[in-house]
Amino acid sequence: MNAQVPVIAAKFRGHFPEKPLLVVSPGRINLIGEHTDYNEGFVLPGATDKAVVFAVSPRPDGLCHFVSHDFNQEFRCELGAFHRSPLRWPDYLQGVVDQFLKAGHRVGGFNCVFGGDIPIGAGMSSSAAIEGGLAFALNVLFGLGLDSLALVKLAQKAENEFVGVRCGIMDQFINIHGREKSVLKLDCRSLEFERFPFEREDLRIVISDTLVRRELASSEYNVRRAQCEAGVSVLRMHDPSVRSLRDATLDLLGEHRAEFDPVVYRRCDYVVRENIRVGDASAALVRNDFAVLGGLMNLSHAGLRDDYEVSSVELDALVEAARRVPGVLGARMMGAGFGGCTISLVEADAVPEFEARVARDYEAAIGRAPKIHVVRIEAGTHAVEGV
Ligand code: GLA
């Protein structure tokens, strides 16, 4: 049982008399395949034990009453009369309800208390956990009968339209489809996926948080998307079957290099190579070859830093500190970038040394301590029994 469940259930009891539906909605890691999802490429994420817990119940009137346990704030709005909030967190929730209504689903008013332990804005997808968790909860609460994929798409649209980040589908997809002890290779074009076991008892996934949050992340994210689209337009002049960078090869790119803006070229080159790495990484998982996986993670970081240019001094410092620790198989920045966290694959025995040395080296380089979390791969969004 997620340790947050009794906490959120108790908080709900403090506000509302009825018995709530309880839902656990995880954050995610991504082993490899960064900035590939919106290029219709491949990703290799897993859901984590870090999660947001929701306690939700229907109301007879048309009010949506949200209580954030972590911020100790409340927000109320009438169904359909949504408005962006300076508090920010209500937008992720309102966006979801808005999408249900826009799609014609019969959602009524409700009470909602939520909170959790996913580091916020750190690249572990706390936003998709909020969107996916509420979408899942409302689907159950109002008996809408939507399938998993419909919930994923609705949650993604909430982020695209209400929050205004043109995110891809990875985060919402893994939030709903994650499974314990396995990662999922998702084809972000067809949405077909394959699960790969990740159950080596001698290895740990370690998340190191720079504790730097950059506002730049969402504006630069949209710039990267536009640069990828610009690259596709160049290639389409020669081969109209290229619909996205998913269809590009290194040969095709190389052949037309002179026609590209040099920055756009580097962006596209990174994406094509990263897609190839996801294929190589899943093959390595099948062979149980984690040394190869670690090497691919290192290459991914180099591409994100030098060619896609979404890393930061802090992220690079964490990655370098991690790689100096014996027993680290690979490390890279994770998520959209500019701040947030890194993911390292670490031998279980080496974790205490990792925690001590990475904290010390990062502090020496950056002047503040990072936050380090060892995470487990757990199930996607699901309902749990009360306590
Ligand atoms: C964010 C987005 C995802 C994905 C990653 C980068 O997490 O929400 O869709 O694009 O960045 O891989």
Side-chain angles (χ1 to χ4, degrees), residues 28 30 33-38 125 167-171 221 335-336:
R28 63 115 183 83
N30 185 23
E34 220 63 90
H35 289 276
T36 44
D37 63 351
Y38 53 81
S125 238
C167 66
I169 201 162
M170 166 169 70
D171 302 350
Y221 186 90

XYZ file of all heavy atoms in Angstrom, residues 28 30 33-38 125 167-171 221 335-336, ligand 1:
142
model
N 6.740 8.747 -13.331
C 7.407 7.791 -14.209
C 8.909 8.027 -14.295
O 9.390 9.126 -14.032
C 6.817 7.844 -15.624
C 7.001 9.172 -16.348
C 7.863 9.112 -17.568
N 8.027 10.425 -18.152
C 8.909 11.313 -17.740
N 9.702 11.044 -16.719
N 9.005 12.495 -18.328
N 12.025 7.189 -17.261
C 12.181 6.811 -18.662
C 13.620 6.352 -18.822
O 14.536 7.129 -18.592
C 11.882 8.023 -19.556
C 11.903 7.655 -21.031
O 11.711 6.482 -21.388
N 12.134 8.633 -21.888
N 14.970 7.335 -24.592
C 13.966 7.764 -25.568
C 13.398 9.095 -25.101
O 12.242 9.214 -24.721
N 14.280 10.122 -25.118
C 13.850 11.445 -24.625
C 13.602 12.370 -25.810
O 14.401 12.413 -26.760
C 14.948 11.999 -23.713
C 14.438 12.701 -22.493
C 13.650 11.812 -21.557
O 14.264 11.206 -20.665
O 12.410 11.741 -21.695
N 12.505 13.095 -25.758
C 12.096 14.003 -26.838
C 11.862 13.250 -28.155
O 12.009 13.806 -29.228
C 13.120 15.135 -27.033
C 13.092 16.134 -25.899
N 12.196 17.178 -25.848
C 13.826 16.218 -24.767
C 12.399 17.876 -24.738
N 13.374 17.306 -24.059
N 11.531 11.983 -28.024
C 11.199 11.205 -29.219
C 9.696 11.034 -29.373
O 9.208 10.774 -30.463
C 11.839 9.798 -29.146
O 11.635 9.304 -27.822
C 13.325 9.852 -29.448
N 8.942 11.186 -28.272
C 7.507 10.839 -28.359
C 6.744 11.740 -29.321
O 5.969 11.267 -30.145
C 6.847 10.759 -26.965
C 6.828 12.044 -26.164
O 7.477 13.039 -26.565
O 6.145 12.061 -25.105
N 7.010 13.052 -29.273
C 6.270 13.942 -30.177
C 6.825 13.909 -31.607
O 6.298 14.569 -32.484
C 6.220 15.378 -29.624
C 7.564 15.981 -29.271
C 8.375 16.534 -30.241
C 8.004 15.983 -27.958
C 9.607 17.085 -29.918
C 9.239 16.528 -27.614
C 10.033 17.085 -28.606
O 11.245 17.620 -28.275
N 7.197 13.668 -14.142
C 5.835 13.719 -14.631
C 4.767 13.773 -13.551
O 3.776 13.043 -13.594
C 5.595 12.513 -15.518
O 5.229 12.997 -16.732
N 2.976 18.690 -24.917
C 3.696 17.471 -24.565
C 3.298 16.322 -25.480
O 2.223 16.324 -26.065
C 3.422 17.091 -23.107
S 1.723 16.624 -22.813
N 4.188 15.340 -25.575
C 3.870 14.118 -26.308
C 2.996 13.219 -25.445
O 2.423 13.669 -24.449
N 2.950 11.912 -25.813
C 1.989 11.028 -25.143
C 2.653 10.110 -24.104
O 1.962 9.422 -23.357
C 1.223 10.193 -26.198
C -0.093 9.665 -25.636
C 2.105 9.054 -26.765
C -1.079 9.222 -26.676
N 3.993 10.145 -24.035
C 4.682 9.179 -23.158
C 4.180 9.193 -21.720
O 3.871 8.142 -21.150
C 6.182 9.475 -23.151
C 6.934 8.774 -22.035
S 8.700 8.833 -22.157
C 9.062 10.543 -21.834
N 4.114 10.377 -21.114
C 3.884 10.438 -19.670
C 2.493 9.930 -19.299
O 2.313 9.175 -18.353
C 4.062 11.878 -19.160
C 5.447 12.417 -19.473
O 6.310 11.631 -19.911
O 5.663 13.625 -19.299
N 10.574 23.801 -24.698
C 10.009 22.525 -25.157
C 9.268 22.754 -26.469
O 9.458 22.040 -27.449
C 9.057 21.991 -24.085
C 8.499 20.620 -24.351
C 9.163 19.487 -23.906
C 7.309 20.447 -25.047
C 8.654 18.217 -24.141
C 6.797 19.180 -25.291
C 7.469 18.074 -24.829
O 6.962 16.819 -25.070
N 13.520 13.391 -18.812
C 12.367 14.285 -18.979
C 12.696 15.416 -19.933
O 13.634 15.344 -20.729
N 11.953 16.501 -19.824
C 12.071 17.594 -20.785
C 13.410 18.321 -20.678
O 13.953 18.799 -21.670
C 10.927 18.577 -20.580
C 8.023 15.742 -21.058
C 6.811 15.511 -21.949
C 6.907 14.162 -22.659
C 8.244 13.983 -23.359
C 9.398 14.359 -22.430
C 10.729 14.382 -23.139
O 8.036 14.803 -20.011
O 5.630 15.550 -21.191
O 5.834 14.040 -23.569
O 8.283 14.726 -24.547
O 9.212 15.623 -21.821
O 11.066 13.109 -23.567
